[in-house]
Amino acid sequence: MTTFTQVILYTDTDGRARFRDEEIPLTEGTPASRLSQVQAASGVQFRQSPVGFRSQMHCTGAPQWVFILGGGMEIGLADGSSRVFLAGEHFYSADVLPEGATFDPSIHGHWSRQVGNQPLVTMFVKG
């Protein structure tokens, strides 16, 4: 069976953001064009961030797909690790603040920044 690799940024049981890979089965379509089941979405939003952009630590408000359309984006976690996503790459952002928690940037969420010499262009697909 063919699969699509979904990179997920999520909140672990200890409240910290982490990355994991999860496979989405491509069970539909034809041998020449394998498809997943249809995924729910409520809207699409585009963003352009200039060279030098960097956010503060934050949690994702609601789970969403993030597709890098241009430039590069680095996502950093409170544990000091980070991953870079370049144009054509994607991840599923689901590191929401745990229910009942008060945001603590030393534990929760992630930061993002533009990398490279091109503006960062992203498309958010809301769940």
Side-chain angles (χ1 to χ4, degrees), residues 46-55 66-75 85-87 89 91 112-124:
F46 297 93
R47 179 179 78 183
Q48 181 171 318
S49 301
V51 171
F53 164 80
R54 181 182 172 123
S55 76
V66 181
F67 293 88
I68 313 306
L69 303 179
M73 176 184 222
E74 182 177 16
I75 301 293
F85 298 89
L86 301 175
E89 297 181 321
F91 63 96
S112 63
R113 75 178 182 103
Q114 172 278 337
V115 294
N117 59 5
Q118 299 293 317
L120 170 62
V121 180
T122 50
M123 178 176 70
F124 302 104

Side-chain angles (χ1 to χ4, degrees), residues 32-46:
S33 180
R34 302 303 306 159
L35 301 168
S36 73
Q37 293 184 351
V38 173
Q39 306 291 309
S42 65
V44 174
Q45 186 175 35
F46 297 93

